[in-house]
Amino acid sequence: MTESTVFTVLIGGKAGEGVKKAAQVVAHTLMACGKHVFQMDDYQSVIKGGHNFSVVSSSDAVVYGTYAKADLLISFDDLSISKHEHELNPEGLHFCNADDCSSLSTPALKLPLTTLMKQHYSTGGNVSVAAIAIVYAALRLPEDELQTLIAKEFKRNINENTAYAMAIYALVGSEAQIPFTTSAPNPARFISGNQAISLGAWLAGLEYYYSYPMTPASSILHYLALKQESHRVYAIHAESELAAANMAIGSIVAGKRAAVGTSGGGFALMQEAFSLAGMVEAPLLCILSSRPGPATGVSTYTAQEDLFFALHAGHGEFPRIVASPDSFERAFSLAAELLELAWATQSPSILLTEKHLSESCSDISLPLEDVSVTNTQELQPEPYNRYTITDSGVSPLKYPGTGNCNDDDVIKWNSNEHNEAGWRTDTSEGIIAMKDKRQRKAALINSLSRKNHRIAEYGHGSIPVFAYGSTALELREAMKHTPFKLVVPIYLEPFPFEELEQYRGMPAIVVEHSQTGLFTEFLINKLNIRPIRKILRYDGRSWDPVELANLVQEALNA
Amino acid sequence: MRRLTTAKEISWCPGCGNFGIFAAVKKAIIRLNEAGTPLANIVMTSGIGCHGKIFDYLNLSGIYGLHGRALPTAQGIKLANPELIVISFGGDGDSLGEGLEHTLFAAKRNMDITLILHNNGNYGLTTGQASPLSSVGYKGLSTPRGNPEIPFEPIPLLMEAGATFAARGYSAKLDHLADLLYQAISHKGFSFVEILQPCVSYNNTYQLYNSSTRMLAGLPKDETEAIHLAKDKDVNYLGVFCQKQRTVYHETLYGGEKPPAMSYEQRIEILKG
C-alpha cells in the first residue's frame, strides 16, 4: 500500500461554521463510495470564531489515522488558508473562499462562498453545506445524490441549503480533476471512540452513567442521554464529579451497573470515591479520557499524562483494574470487558483513553463476539453478611428490596474498615482479615483477565516498538510506510507479565504522548526493557503517519 | 419483625443527643413497618461523624459512605430502585460543610428521600471544632479566638433550595421527633428534618434547648411566615415548617414508573439491528 491511495480532505473554518459536521458528512460520503475512513477534529475551546479544522483520510484499506497533507483542502476563511495552504499534496486541490482570502500565496480555486450564501439565504447561512458540494463536484459524484444528502443531513432551511449547494456544485463544474474510484458502499458503522465505549459498556449491562461535563469525555454523557428511551440507559448530569462518583456507587449498592466518565481534572475530584469503591468493593467503571495537563491544561487536545495517575488512583491500598483500548473496536469490547471484570471481582476499574480515540471517528464493525456477559449470583445460607470472608476474596452480593434477598437480610456496605457484617471495626485482627480478603482479589483479577486480550501485537521486526492506547492507532498507520513490530499492553493493571515475558530486558523503542516518558518508565519498571529511543510528543496533537514512520525508522537505524 | 438494633456496642458519649435520635428513628421505622413498608425496602446512608455511627447500630441495609457524600449515594440508590425508602443521616459539618453542594442539589431535584440532620453545632467526633451551624464566637480547637462566621439557617436554606418538606425536632422530645420523622419519610419528595442535638462533650445545649424550644401552632400559613419562624433568634420552634407537593426527580426521569431493565439478548439485538 502506498500513500497515494489515501485520499485526505481537510476542512478549515471558524468555530460555529460547522466544520466538524461537514467533515462527518464527507466521511459518510466517502464510506458510501466504498472507502474506509478516519476523522480527526482539531478544535479550540471556543464556541464562535477562532480556528477549527477537521481532517478525513480515506482509503480502500482500513485507515488508522489522518494525514497532514490534504488532497482536497477547503478553507472557509483566510485564517484557514494561512494555517493550511502549505499542507496540500502536489496533486491536491485547494478551494478557498474568494470573499476572505487576502493571505492566499499558493494556487487555489476561489469560490465566492460568502457572496453566494448571502444570495441564497434570507438570514444567516450554512457554509458547511458548501464543503459538501465542493467534495461532490471535485470527486464528480452525481448532483441528484448531493441534493438527497443535503436534504437528509441539513434539515433546517432545506430549500436554502439545497439551492446554495447546487450553486456551488455548478460553479465548481468540471474544473476539478481529482482521480477517485468508487466501489460498493462500506456498510460499517461510523462512530467515535466515545460512542464505542458507551455501547460496549451498555452491552455489558450499563444502566446508569453519572457525569459532569468535561472534554474529551463529555460526548459519552451526550450520547447516552440521547439513548435513554431506545436503550433504557440513564445518563445523569450531576452537580460535580464527586457527586457523580458517589451516586454511581449508590446505584451499585442497589444492584445496578453504573459508570462515570471524565478527564484528568474530574478524575482528580473522584479520587476519594474511587478509594471508596475499593473499600466497599463496588464494581465502579471509570472512563478516564486524557487531555494535556496539569490542571485545566489544554481542554480539546490529546495526551497520555495520566498513566500513573490512573494506576495509582485513590488513597489507600486495594486492587483495581486499568486498561486502555488500542482501537475503536477494542474501545467497545474493552468497555464491556472491564464492566464485567469489575462485577466479577467487585473491584473498581478504569478505562484509560485519550482525546485522540474518544473524539475521533472511524468505520467499524462492533466486535459483538468479543463480549460475554454473565449474571450469575451465588447465594449463601442465612444470615447474610455483605463481607463474608472467602478464599477468592469475593463475597456474595445481595441488593436491598429485590428478589435476591429476603426481609431479614441486612446488607451493610461500609467505607470504614469493617467486619463481615459490615460494621465498623478497628481491631488489629479485623483490619488484617478484611485487608487480606480484599487483596486476594488481585490474584482473581489477574486470572480472570487472562481470558481476555491483554496485549496486542502488530507487524514484524526485531526491535519491539511499545505504545498503548490510541498511540497504537497512530503507529499502525505509520506501519504502512515503514515495517516494524508494535507491542501494545492493553491491560496496564494487572500487568500482563505472562504475555510480555518474551520482551524482558530487550532493547525497545517507546512511543507516547508524554513529556517525561511515563510509559517508558513503566515498562522499565515492569519488564526492564532497555529503551534505545523514546519518541515523545506533548503538544496535544497526533502524529502525521509519515512523520511518525520516519521517527520510528530513524530510531530503528540508530 | 427483625430487631432494629444490632449487637454492635454503642460508643456515643453518655447523655449524647444521638441516643434520643436513635430511639426516635426506630419508633418511626416501626410505625412505617406497621403501616405496611417491609424493612427490606428501607435503606439508609450516612456520612462520617458522630451521627454516622447510627449506621452500625440501626439494623437496616445501606452504605456508611464518605464524609459529606451520604446524599449522592442515597440518590444513586433511589434512582436505581425507586421502590426503596431511602433515609440519609448527616451531621451539620457533614451535610452543610463538606457536602453542602449535594444537600442543596438533592433538595433542588426534589429527590424522594429524607435527610435527617443531626445538628449538634460542632464537629464532635474530631473534638469540637466549629461547624457551619456554630454560633458566632463559638470557641473550639480550630477557633480559639471564637468563630468569626455566622451560622447557616438550615431550614430557610433548604426551603430556598427546593425541599418540599422541612421540619425541626429536638432529640430530647422523643415522641414529637418520632412523629416528625415518620411524616418526613412518608412525604413524597425531598424531606429535611433538622434535629437539635446537644453534644455533652463540646456543645452542651440541653439547658438552652429545654428553655428555648416551643412547638409551632401549626403549619405556617406561607413561606414568609415559615422562614420568619425558623429564623427566630430567641425561640427554637419545633414542628413542620413546610410541606408541599412537586414532581419528584425519578418520576420525571422515568416518565412515571421505571421501565424494566433490558436483557443482554435485547441489547445485542439492538446492536445487531
Side-chain angles (χ1 to χ4, degrees):
Chain A
M1 154 125 205
T2 62
E3 196 187 337
S4 63
T5 61
V6 171
F7 174 68
T8 298
V9 182
L10 189 154
I11 305 169
K14 295 179 180 68
E17 285 188 323
V19 167
K20 180 178 173 180
K21 168 71 179 178
Q24 274 170 358
V25 178
V26 169
H28 280 294
T29 300
L30 293 167
M31 282 178 70
C33 296
K35 305 296 179 191
H36 292 281
V37 292
F38 192 108
Q39 177 182 346
M40 192 276 298
D41 304 307
D42 186 303
Y43 64 102
Q44 302 172 317
S45 194
V46 169
I47 303 301
K48 296 273 187 277
H51 174 66
N52 287 358
F53 69 94
S54 287
V55 190
V56 180
S57 285
S58 67
S59 169
D60 292 330
V62 176
V63 198
Y64 302 106
T66 56
Y67 286 76
K69 293 280 185 191
D71 300 291
L72 178 54
L73 174 60
I74 301 169
S75 303
F76 291 159
D77 63 355
D78 197 45
L79 187 56
S80 300
I81 294 170
S82 57
K83 294 257 186 199
H84 303 290
E85 67 175 336
H86 299 291
E87 295 172 345
L88 195 63
N89 273 323
E91 303 297 313
L93 288 181
H94 180 190
F95 290 87
C96 68
N97 185 352
D99 302 313
D100 189 8
C101 64
S102 53
S103 62
L104 187 69
S105 63
T106 53
L109 295 149
K110 296 184 198 174
L111 302 170
L113 299 180
T114 311
T115 306
L116 282 174
M117 195 156 71
K118 282 178 185 155
Q119 287 170 11
H120 286 91
Y121 291 86
S122 51
T123 55
N126 190 346
V127 72
S128 62
V129 165
I132 314 305
I134 291 169
V135 170
Y136 260 73
L139 301 184
R140 282 162 293 152
L141 299 172
E143 187 175 6
D144 58 327
E145 285 180 19
L146 172 63
Q147 195 160 354
T148 312
L149 183 71
I150 296 293
K152 180 173 163 242
E153 296 285 349
F154 298 90
K155 291 197 171 70
R156 210 193 310 170
N157 310 324
I158 286 184
N159 294 338
E160 291 170 318
N161 290 335
T162 311
Y164 182 43
M166 291 308 140
I168 302 276
Y169 186 86
L171 196 61
V172 176
S174 54
E175 268 188 82
Q177 295 295 326
I178 289 187
F180 188 74
T181 55
T182 64
S183 52
N186 174 353
R189 278 170 198 263
F190 179 68
I191 64 175
S192 69
N194 277 350
Q195 288 174 348
I197 291 165
S198 304
L199 290 174
W202 176 75
L203 179 59
L206 185 78
E207 271 188 77
Y208 293 89
Y209 180 75
Y210 295 97
S211 192
Y212 186 88
M214 187 168 188
T215 308
S218 304
S219 57
I220 301 174
L221 176 63
H222 308 161
Y223 183 69
L224 289 173
L226 273 180
K227 297 290 174 192
Q228 178 173 315
E229 280 81 20
S230 59
H231 290 49
R232 278 186 233 153
V233 62
Y234 304 96
I236 313 286
H237 173 167
E239 64 268 31
S240 69
E241 287 85 352
L242 290 81
N246 282 280
M247 283 173 159
I249 290 170
S251 292
I252 290 167
V253 169
K256 298 299 185 183
R257 294 196 171 195
V260 296
T262 184
S263 191
F267 195 54
L269 293 173
M270 292 182 181
Q271 291 307 292
E272 193 188 20
F274 191 81
S275 180
L276 173 67
M279 178 54 115
V280 301
E281 304 190 44
L284 176 67
L285 172 63
C286 305
I287 297 151
L288 168 54
S289 182
S290 288
R291 66 195 212 186
T296 309
V298 195
S299 321
T300 56
Y301 288 86
T302 201
Q304 295 185 303
E305 294 177 43
D306 298 329
L307 174 63
F308 287 173
F309 180 43
L311 289 167
H312 300 153
H315 55 286
E317 294 173 291
F318 57 93
R320 80 281 307 279
I321 307 152
V322 182
S324 185
D326 61 330
S327 68
F328 291 90
E329 290 82 356
R330 193 95 63 200
F332 173 81
S333 60
L334 191 63
E337 204 172 286
L338 288 178
L339 192 54
E340 269 295 293
L341 196 52
W343 278 82
T345 61
Q346 294 180 32
S347 301
S349 68
I350 300 172
L351 186 146
L352 176 63
T353 185
E354 311 85 13
K355 183 266 177 185
H356 187 57
L357 179 65
S358 276
E359 296 200 334
S360 295
C361 295
S362 191
D363 57 304
I364 75 161
S365 300
L366 296 175
L368 300 176
E369 67 286 354
D370 285 356
V371 175
S372 66
V373 174
T374 49
N375 259 322
T376 51
Q377 257 318 308
E378 184 195 327
L379 293 183
Q380 58 164 20
E382 313 303 323
Y384 176 78
N385 280 325
R386 166 66 187 96
Y387 298 111
T388 299
I389 304 270
T390 60
D391 290 342
S392 68
V394 174
S395 312
L397 273 178
K398 286 192 176 191
Y399 315 114
T402 68
N404 95 336
C405 79
N406 67 44
D407 210 40
D408 285 330
D409 287 326
V410 177
I411 309 154
K412 282 186 173 290
W413 300 56
N414 200 328
S415 74
N416 295 278
E417 191 55 278
H418 41 258
N419 65 10
E420 289 185 89
W423 305 343
R424 191 169 63 90
T425 187
D426 51 16
T427 66
S428 166
E429 58 277 17
I431 295 167
I432 291 169
M434 208 45 72
K435 277 187 168 287
D436 287 348
K437 169 190 126 67
R438 284 194 297 273
Q439 200 52 41
R440 281 200 292 280
K441 296 191 297 182
L444 179 69
I445 291 169
N446 189 47
S447 66
L448 290 179
S449 68
R450 286 197 67 181
K451 294 175 191 152
N452 304 328
H453 297 285
R454 297 203 301 185
I455 70 159
E457 292 168 293
Y458 305 98
H460 302 282
S462 53
I463 296 179
V465 176
F466 280 93
Y468 77 99
S470 60
T471 308
L473 279 174
E474 299 181 72
L475 284 159
R476 284 169 78 186
E477 192 62 29
M479 199 182 279
K480 292 178 181 172
H481 306 281
T482 193
F484 57 87
K485 174 156 195 176
L486 173 61
V487 183
V488 183
I490 297 160
Y491 277 71
L492 301 161
E493 174 62 38
F495 189 78
F497 281 109
E498 294 87 343
E499 295 90 328
L500 294 175
E501 195 51 41
Q502 54 182 309
Y503 300 107
R504 184 170 291 282
M506 275 182 73
I509 293 166
V510 186
V511 185
E512 56 178 310
H513 287 269
S514 143
Q515 181 182 27
T516 56
L518 301 172
F519 184 55
T520 313
E521 190 183 326
F522 177 69
L523 291 172
I524 292 171
N525 179 278
K526 295 290 184 187
L527 287 177
N528 196 28
I529 60 150
R530 290 183 288 123
I532 55 172
R533 181 74 58 91
K534 290 190 269 188
I535 300 177
L536 308 175
R537 180 159 198 164
Y538 51 95
D539 63 352
R541 272 70 178 173
S542 56
W543 272 286
D544 168 62
V546 179
E547 178 194 6
L548 183 56
N550 291 339
L551 289 170
V552 172
Q553 187 59 53
E554 201 183 293
L556 287 170
N557 294 341
Chain B
M1 193 184 115
R2 81 166 94 111
R3 283 172 51 84
L4 278 178
T5 309
T6 67
K8 173 87 175 169
E9 190 190 343
I10 295 186
S11 64
W12 287 318
C13 304
C16 174
N18 274 318
F19 286 100
I21 299 176
F22 184 38
V25 167
K26 285 190 288 187
K27 264 188 98 148
I29 286 172
I30 288 167
R31 197 172 149 196
L32 275 172
N33 185 241
E34 286 168 356
T37 305
L39 289 185
N41 280 20
I42 306 174
V43 173
M44 68 191 299
T45 73
S46 72
I48 300 297
C50 289
H51 82 274
K53 294 185 174 186
I54 201 169
F55 182 88
D56 280 348
Y57 312 145
L58 190 56
N59 200 25
L60 289 177
S61 294
I63 174 164
Y64 197 154
L66 294 171
H67 184 57
R69 319 292 167 212
L71 278 176
T73 323
Q75 293 172 77
I77 293 172
K78 184 69 187 184
L79 289 178
N81 186 351
E83 284 172 23
L84 296 174
I85 304 283
V86 185
I87 306 167
S88 195
F89 295 88
D92 42 334
D94 193 273
S95 303
L96 298 176
E98 190 82 41
L100 174 65
E101 182 188 18
H102 309 310
T103 303
L104 299 181
F105 270 81
K108 174 178 183 279
R109 295 183 182 114
N110 198 27
M111 276 283 175
D112 186 16
I113 59 178
T114 300
L115 171 62
I116 298 175
L117 184 85
H118 301 223
N119 173 9
N120 63 1
N122 82 110
Y123 286 76
L125 195 58
T126 54
T127 65
Q129 298 88 343
S131 85
L133 297 185
S134 294
S135 47
V136 177
Y138 172 91
K139 286 191 177 175
L141 291 175
S142 61
T143 52
R145 288 168 295 283
N147 177 26
E149 303 175 15
I150 59 163
F152 282 130
E153 300 276 3
I155 287 175
L157 185 66
L158 270 286
M159 281 175 61
E160 183 57 38
T164 48
F165 181 99
R168 186 190 285 141
Y170 174 28
S171 62
K173 291 196 187 302
L174 203 151
D175 288 342
H176 177 255
L177 177 58
D179 181 59
L180 284 184
L181 292 172
Y182 178 79
Q183 288 186 59
I185 298 166
S186 306
H187 171 77
K188 187 169 181 179
F190 187 79
S191 309
F192 174 65
V193 183
E194 177 198 0
I195 304 176
L196 303 176
Q197 179 214 339
C199 167
V200 290
S201 296
Y202 299 107
N203 191 30
N204 196 334
T205 45
Y206 276 114
Q207 271 197 324
L208 172 71
Y209 291 151
N210 285 342
S211 61
S212 72
T213 51
R214 192 180 304 164
M215 296 299 169
L216 286 173
L219 192 65
K221 66 176 193 303
D222 56 24
E223 205 170 283
T224 311
E225 186 182 80
I227 289 172
H228 179 74
L229 291 167
K231 291 174 94 160
D232 195 301
K233 293 281 180 276
D234 304 314
V235 180
N236 285 299
Y237 284 101
L238 305 179
V240 179
F241 287 81
C242 143
Q243 185 167 18
K244 54 190 177 187
Q245 297 302 317
R246 178 157 70 86
T247 313
V248 296
Y249 185 96
H250 70 264
E251 287 185 357
T252 306
L253 179 71
Y254 299 125
E257 282 206 9
K258 181 180 184 295
M262 266 188 193
S263 67
Y264 173 72
E265 289 70 26
Q266 285 173 299
R267 290 172 196 243
I268 205 129
E269 278 315 306
I270 288 179
L271 290 185
K272 280 180 181 166

